[in-house]
Amino acid sequence: MIRVDLRLTSWIVIFTLCLAGLPLPQTFAADSAQVSPQENAQLLLSMMTPEEKVGQLLLITFRGTDAGQDSIIHDLIVNRHVGGVLLKRENDNFVGPENTVQAAWELIRQLQTTEWEASLTQEINPDSNSVSSPNYIPLFVAISQEGDGYPYSEILYGLTQLPNQMTLGATWNPNLAQQVGGIVGKELSSLGINLLLGPSLDILEDPNPDDTGNLGTRTFGGDPFWVGEFAKAYISGVHQGSSPRMAVIGKYFPGRGSSDRPPEEEVATIRKTLEQLKQTDLAPFFTVTGDAPSPDATIDGLLTSHIKYQGFQSNIRSTTRPISFDPQAFDQLMSLPAFEVWRENGGIMVSDELGTRAVRLFFSPTGEVFNAHFVARDALLAGNDLLNLGNLVGSDDSDPYATILRILDFFAVKYREDPAFAQRVDEAALRILTKKFEIYGSFTLENIVPAEEGLQEVGTSQELIFDISRQAATLISPPASELDNVLPNPPGLQDQIVFITDAYTVKQCSVCEEATVLGMNTLQDIVLRLYGPESGGQTTRRNLLSFSFEHLQSMLDRGINRTEIEFHIKNAEWLVIAMLDVRQQRPLSIAVKRFLNERPDLLRGKNVIIFAFNAPYYLDATDISKLTAYYALYSKTPQSVEVAARLLFNEIRPLTGALPVSVTGINYDLFEATTPNPQQTIELFLGSSPSQATPAPEETTPSPPPSFQAGDLIPIQTGIILDHNNKPVPDGTEVRLILSTVGERSVVLKEIIATTTGGIARATFPIETQGNMVITARSEPATLSTAIPITVEGERPTPTNSPTAEATTTPEVTTPVTPVIFVGSVIDDNPGNVSRFMEWLLAVLIAFLVSWGAYRASVLLGQVRWSLRIAFCVLIGGLLGYIYIATSLPGADWFLSFGGAIASGVGTILGNGLGLLAALLWKRNGV
């Protein structure tokens, strides 16, 4: 019995030593740092059924806040494996104005918990015959939250009331956009939202207030460079604020800034070639995809627009299908270098809503037959990975739920029958799963659902918003230089002020209480709080009166001397109008233009001030000429209204804000405004970096000009070149650096064209001519610059042909591509493990052969009792010798070489010898 125990113990020791020498394959773990999100997604995809795969492709909507077992959304998650939901105000997914944030968190937790509980058991749905595998995959929970409340933010209450994108653009400070993005990411991820449909990357190139498709304040502005800068900063902020638990989807690819109608109503056509799109509309998309400077600034996905392009391929008679359904145009766009790299790195494409009236009219102009499942198929085959179904209803379906079931069944059947379609589904599902792994790392419920305690910090960032509103405030008319002459003093104590506000009400849900977007008394109340009897006494309550646009329209409709508002306007010294957008769909919004055109008599002898709490371009030149001052605040947040009140009383001045879009009413052209300011003097410095740069010497400097030798290279850089708004010019602005002779008849010797980065241009001048020279710069229309005088002497001595002076060529170092090796179903990304496995196998083989030889020799010598002991000692010694050599070699590269293999074999044999010696000593001592 003792002999058996010794043998068993020996084999255990041998087995342990063998494992110590073998590099073990990695085990699958979703949160393993050595397994990439794509590898995790690939492994998970291989375990999914066709029904689960096609379910991941859908982003669906549902009504209400009930996600219980009897709800439609519960069925779609548990039995139909849908991969994402889009929460919308119009579907009553939120409550308010009280308890909005808490209720949203509870709904999202319930949705994710439903998916988690469904994954714990494997069951067959008798209705659909679909099999559920026990894989928990978190839902995408999406939202559009563009800022400035209604109508482009879904959650109206409880969150920090953030400004819209144009407000940020008017600050010309991308750092503020990053801070706002941080708030968005932090607050929405605290609710459990992980997919943000925004920001808009569109260029408002030529805003037309009469276009119903005008994006307005939903964009950062009209300059491609600055829109890209703000987009990078905003996206970085969202990623950092969510830590990073949120995917950001940029809208509306490849750009709908030139659209003349809303894509929800009709498919618009834009006349632009691909080359034109690359210069303007696509530029911000390049900036946040393949050209992004960091992973944080890289957008996760792009939302494709339902827009056709005429002349896309330079044939003006050729028009694409809507990009969201056109695989040829889509592939042509994705083949552009920036997008190609981005797609290879996992960028996802999301379709715009497929249930819009525009899509329905495109596929079914007569409205008779509308096959929704074919629409979804076409969107997928065009290149969209995630299909935003929205309120999609087929002509043969009773409601969106029936349409979703039809699409899922159609896709699952086609997956099994059509290999090409199955490949497209797998490709899209892999991208979606990879993105979810990038967000969460591991799929556990504790990792997906945020802690409830995080809600305490939601809605607490109002101070930053006031600073943004102050920096964005823009004086549209008159010019800033004339403001003190036009408005030398604020309203006096006895001055009567009439406020007229474009106020209207909204609801968070269909059964929620109404609330005003911009209350009729809001501006008056803030003025009283800041400047009333209890705060400095600059005005009194009896001198302040407020009316709405409804009152104004009533006055215009009823005629002269028939309304109270007309009486008070006549007696007021100040008339302050708070306007929003001007749209035919909202007749009351037109009242301000009617008032300026129909009753100019009421404007005479008054200070007429208009604050635009939306886009700044709704008034024309004639309208503006009747105003004393016209300000743009861009957003209607409480902070923006407070800034307006402080502007009215001259407490703050609009010094930093500048229009980010063209405004024809004052002949403000954004392209011209962003060119170099001709009034500036461009500074020049010697040196190629700020630490090396030395300014051009002043005229009073007695020191001689810098001296150089012919053949030298002189690094030159400019200071920050400013545009007409005193902001840095866009990157890529051309600057001409000129080297010329000194004297009455100056001769230009050399001219180099450089481009700006961060407003600064850099270049290196090769000097070939001797004499006194001067370097200047110009960047049209800025023609003035400081001058750098230089003296160029004889050429430097030519190096002799000595060994130390010979030119050497540094060979180009090429980094080899590391192959990925698959071990079973587990991925091993270390190719060295294969070489080490072979060496381990060689060492074990040698050790066993020598051990077997020692065993046979012992038997032949009559030492049967000691034969196994000697064999074990020889085997253990050989393995220990291999382990010693393998772990003590100084370099892994040498170890993996042929010499390393020989050394491992020799070490094993020496170990065998030591083991044999130990066994003989053991036997001699009689143990």
Side-chain angles (χ1 to χ4, degrees):
M1 186 69 182
I2 296 175
R3 183 174 300 171
V4 173
D5 290 342
L6 287 174
R7 291 180 180 181
L8 179 61
T9 304
S10 300
W11 282 113
I12 292 174
V13 171
I14 292 172
F15 181 71
T16 303
L17 290 172
C18 290
L19 289 180
L22 175 64
L24 296 175
Q26 300 171 14
T27 57
F28 174 79
D31 59 349
S32 172
Q34 299 184 15
V35 182
S36 71
Q38 185 174 9
E39 292 164 353
N40 280 329
Q42 186 68 63
L43 185 58
L44 180 56
L45 184 70
S46 67
M47 298 186 290
M48 294 170 63
T49 65
E51 285 77 11
E52 290 175 318
K53 292 177 180 179
V54 300
Q56 285 297 309
L57 312 185
L58 303 190
L59 187 66
I60 66 170
T61 59
F62 65 98
R63 296 199 62 84
T65 58
D66 178 20
Q69 293 186 358
D70 297 330
S71 65
I72 289 175
I73 188 61
H74 184 277
D75 174 63
L76 291 172
I77 292 174
V78 173
N79 300 318
R80 295 294 183 158
H81 323 297
V82 295
V85 296
L86 173 60
L87 303 181
K88 303 186 73 173
R89 183 185 63 254
E90 64 184 39
N91 288 334
D92 291 347
N93 294 139
F94 304 103
V95 301
E98 302 296 331
N99 202 37
T100 305
V101 168
Q102 180 70 35
W105 178 83
E106 292 174 355
L107 172 62
I108 295 168
R109 180 189 61 175
Q110 187 177 17
L111 292 171
Q112 296 287 17
T113 303
T114 297
E115 171 68 12
W116 170 263
E117 292 173 348
S119 69
L120 296 180
T121 59
Q122 183 174 357
E123 60 182 7
I124 297 179
N125 185 332
D127 297 329
S128 65
N129 295 323
S130 64
V131 180
S132 292
S133 61
N135 299 317
Y136 171 57
I137 304 174
L139 296 169
F140 268 145
V141 181
I143 195 172
S144 177
Q145 193 76 9
E146 298 184 13
D148 200 28
Y150 182 89
Y152 300 114
S153 288
E154 300 300 331
I155 300 178
L156 303 181
Y157 307 106
L159 303 178
T160 299
Q161 298 187 51
L162 299 172
N164 53 40
Q165 290 182 211
M166 189 173 286
T167 306
L168 296 172
T171 67
W172 299 81
N173 185 352
N175 290 333
L176 295 176
Q178 183 169 353
Q179 294 179 60
V180 169
I183 296 172
V184 172
K186 179 179 180 180
E187 295 192 346
L188 293 183
S189 64
S190 295
L191 302 183
I193 294 167
N194 54 24
L195 190 69
L196 177 64
L197 301 185
S200 166
L201 306 181
D202 297 285
I203 306 295
L204 199 55
E205 191 174 0
D206 186 20
N208 184 350
D210 297 326
D211 285 345
T212 56
N214 191 343
L215 282 168
T217 56
R218 301 171 66 189
T219 69
F220 288 117
D223 183 85
F225 167 75
W226 283 107
V227 170
E229 292 299 294
F230 277 95
K232 283 190 301 186
Y234 187 92
I235 294 164
S236 296
V238 174
H239 283 147
Q240 294 164 7
S242 61
S243 299
R245 295 298 177 91
M246 185 172 294
V248 185
I249 310 298
K251 304 186 289 191
Y252 291 88
F253 182 79
R256 55 165 280 202
S258 302
S259 173
D260 59 357
R261 64 203 65 203
E264 300 83 10
E265 298 179 4
E266 183 181 357
V267 173
T269 300
I270 295 177
R271 296 185 64 173
K272 281 190 177 182
T273 66
L274 179 57
E275 289 303 315
Q276 290 174 319
L277 287 172
K278 287 162 64 176
Q279 296 298 319
T280 54
D281 298 65
L282 287 175
F285 293 94
F286 292 149
T287 302
V288 298
T289 52
D291 296 342
S294 67
D296 277 346
T298 303
I299 205 153
D300 299 282
L302 297 176
L303 187 142
T304 55
S305 61
H306 303 317
I307 290 181
K308 298 185 292 185
Y309 288 89
Q310 186 176 5
F312 182 77
Q313 296 176 325
S314 301
N315 181 359
I316 196 63
R317 289 179 171 79
S318 175
T319 303
T320 68
R321 301 183 79 201
I323 292 296
S324 46
F325 301 105
D326 193 326
Q328 288 76 27
F330 183 92
D331 288 343
Q332 194 169 353
L333 287 165
M334 289 298 106
S335 66
L336 297 174
F339 298 140
E340 189 173 33
V341 171
W342 174 74
R343 282 288 272 176
E344 289 174 355
N345 292 330
I348 64 174
M349 300 301 296
V350 183
S351 76
D352 203 351
E353 187 175 335
L354 301 180
T356 62
R357 179 176 178 271
V359 173
R360 195 177 190 93
L361 287 176
F362 177 78
F363 281 92
S364 178
T366 63
E368 295 178 358
V369 178
F370 180 64
N371 294 312
H373 54 295
F374 290 158
V375 173
R377 177 203 61 190
D378 289 354
L380 176 67
L381 295 180
N384 296 287
D385 304 307
L386 187 61
L387 307 180
N388 177 7
L389 299 188
N391 193 34
L392 181 63
V393 182
S395 55
D396 295 333
D397 301 322
S398 58
D399 53 29
Y401 173 64
T403 297
I404 294 171
L405 296 183
R406 185 186 295 270
I407 292 172
L408 289 169
D409 291 339
F410 173 69
F411 275 26
V413 171
K414 192 168 180 62
Y415 183 96
R416 291 184 169 91
E417 296 177 349
D418 185 346
F421 184 80
Q423 183 179 2
R424 177 69 191 105
V425 170
D426 285 347
E427 177 189 343
L430 179 62
R431 290 183 183 277
I432 292 168
L433 292 174
T434 301
K435 191 59 61 178
K436 291 181 178 180
F437 273 113
E438 287 177 0
I439 294 174
Y440 290 114
S442 60
F443 293 167
T444 63
L445 191 62
E446 296 78 12
N447 200 30
I448 306 301
V449 178
E452 188 173 7
E453 291 75 17
L455 301 181
Q456 298 175 2
E457 299 183 17
V458 172
T460 59
S461 303
Q462 306 300 337
E463 185 176 345
L464 172 65
I465 309 309
F466 176 82
D467 188 48
I468 292 172
S469 302
R470 180 182 58 81
Q471 293 193 43
T474 306
L475 177 64
I476 302 174
S477 177
S481 59
E482 301 177 13
L483 182 60
D484 289 337
N485 296 328
V486 174
L487 282 175
N489 299 306
L493 181 62
Q494 301 303 322
D495 288 349
Q496 292 191 3
I497 308 175
V498 170
F499 299 97
I500 305 176
T501 302
D502 186 5
Y504 60 97
T505 58
V506 296
K507 292 182 177 181
Q508 178 66 80
C509 64
S510 60
V511 296
C512 296
E513 296 180 10
E514 286 189 343
T516 55
V517 171
L518 184 61
M520 182 181 74
N521 297 310
T522 300
L523 189 51
Q524 173 184 318
D525 292 342
I526 292 178
V527 167
L528 276 174
R529 175 170 61 83
L530 296 175
Y531 307 105
E534 299 179 358
S535 304
Q538 292 179 254
T539 188
T540 61
R541 182 179 297 275
R542 63 184 179 85
N543 286 333
L544 307 180
L545 291 168
S546 294
F547 298 92
S548 68
F549 273 31
E550 186 175 3
H551 294 113
L552 186 62
Q553 180 171 273
S554 176
M555 180 193 77
L556 298 172
D557 291 341
R558 294 178 62 181
I560 299 175
N561 297 326
R562 291 178 177 271
T563 57
E564 179 185 3
I565 182 175
E566 181 177 356
F567 171 78
H568 289 293
I569 291 175
K570 287 181 178 180
N571 293 324
E573 283 78 24
W574 292 78
L575 178 60
V576 179
I577 300 175
M579 64 179 291
L580 298 173
D581 56 348
V582 178
R583 293 184 292 128
Q584 295 292 337
Q585 298 92 326
R586 200 166 58 85
L588 280 179
S589 67
I590 307 172
V592 64
K593 290 182 68 69
R594 285 188 59 194
F595 174 59
L596 295 175
N597 294 331
E598 297 175 19
R599 297 302 304 272
D601 57 297
L602 295 178
L603 307 178
R604 299 190 187 102
K606 294 177 175 40
N607 291 310
V608 182
I609 313 295
I610 286 187
F611 293 110
F613 293 102
N614 200 270
Y617 46 73
Y618 288 110
L619 300 183
D620 57 33
T622 303
D623 296 332
I624 296 173
S625 67
K626 300 171 184 177
L627 308 179
T628 309
Y630 180 26
Y631 295 92
L633 280 304
Y634 307 99
S635 291
K636 54 185 179 294
T637 62
Q639 293 82 3
S640 295
V641 181
E642 181 174 335
V643 169
R646 295 179 185 274
L647 286 169
L648 179 64
F649 279 81
N650 285 358
E651 182 179 338
I652 61 176
R653 309 293 278 175
L655 300 177
T656 59
L659 291 165
V661 293
S662 297
V663 176
T664 57
I666 59 170
N667 293 323
Y668 176 83
D669 180 78
L670 183 63
F671 176 78
E672 180 182 348
T674 53
T675 59
N677 189 339
Q679 305 301 320
Q680 70 184 310
T681 298
I682 300 173
E683 292 186 293
L684 283 180
F685 301 89
L686 287 173
S688 58
S689 66
S691 60
Q692 298 174 338
T694 57
E698 300 179 2
E699 295 181 0
T700 57
T701 303
S703 59
S707 178
F708 298 92
Q709 300 288 333
D712 283 352
L713 297 177
I714 303 179
I716 299 292
Q717 74 173 49
T718 68
I720 296 177
I721 301 175
L722 302 177
D723 65 12
H724 288 69
N725 291 321
N726 291 321
K727 313 295 181 184
V729 293
D731 284 5
T733 299
E734 287 192 354
V735 180
R736 294 164 56 198
L737 298 169
I738 305 165
L739 176 67
S740 55
T741 60
V742 177
E744 295 181 0
R745 295 184 179 181
S746 177
V747 177
V748 175
L749 301 175
K750 197 170 192 64
E751 184 175 302
I752 294 179
I753 296 179
T755 56
T756 59
T757 299
I760 298 174
R762 295 178 175 86
T764 301
F765 257 114
I767 303 300
E768 302 169 352
T769 307
Q770 301 179 34
N772 295 322
M773 306 173 196
V774 65
I775 299 175
T776 57
R778 59 190 300 152
S779 182
E780 301 294 341
T783 60
L784 301 176
S785 77
T786 58
I788 298 181
I790 61 173
T791 297
V792 180
E793 300 174 351
E795 295 184 1
R796 295 187 182 277
T798 303
T800 59
N801 294 327
S802 62
T804 58
E806 290 181 358
T808 59
T809 302
T810 303
E812 182 178 353
V813 179
T814 304
T815 303
V817 178
T818 303
V820 178
I821 300 169
F822 294 84
V823 181
S825 62
V826 184
I827 298 173
D828 184 357
D829 57 0
N830 185 0
N833 287 344
V834 176
S835 298
R836 293 181 179 177
F837 174 78
M838 297 303 297
E839 291 172 6
W840 170 85
L841 190 61
L842 176 64
V844 170
L845 182 61
I846 293 173
F848 269 101
L849 288 175
V850 176
S851 174
W852 174 253
Y855 170 76
R856 295 300 301 167
S858 299
V859 172
L860 292 175
L861 293 174
Q863 302 295 329
V864 177
R865 179 173 176 270
W866 277 88
S867 59
L868 282 177
R869 299 180 185 181
I870 293 173
F872 286 154
C873 288
V874 171
L875 178 60
I876 293 171
L879 291 175
L880 288 173
Y882 161 73
I883 293 173
Y884 173 77
I885 291 295
T887 56
S888 62
L889 290 177
D893 291 339
W894 186 85
F895 174 65
L896 296 177
S897 67
F898 180 72
I902 294 177
S904 300
V906 172
T908 304
I909 295 173
L910 291 176
N912 291 143
L914 292 175
L916 178 61
L917 179 62
L920 295 176
L921 292 174
W922 184 9
K923 181 177 182 303
R924 178 179 179 183
N925 293 330
V927 180

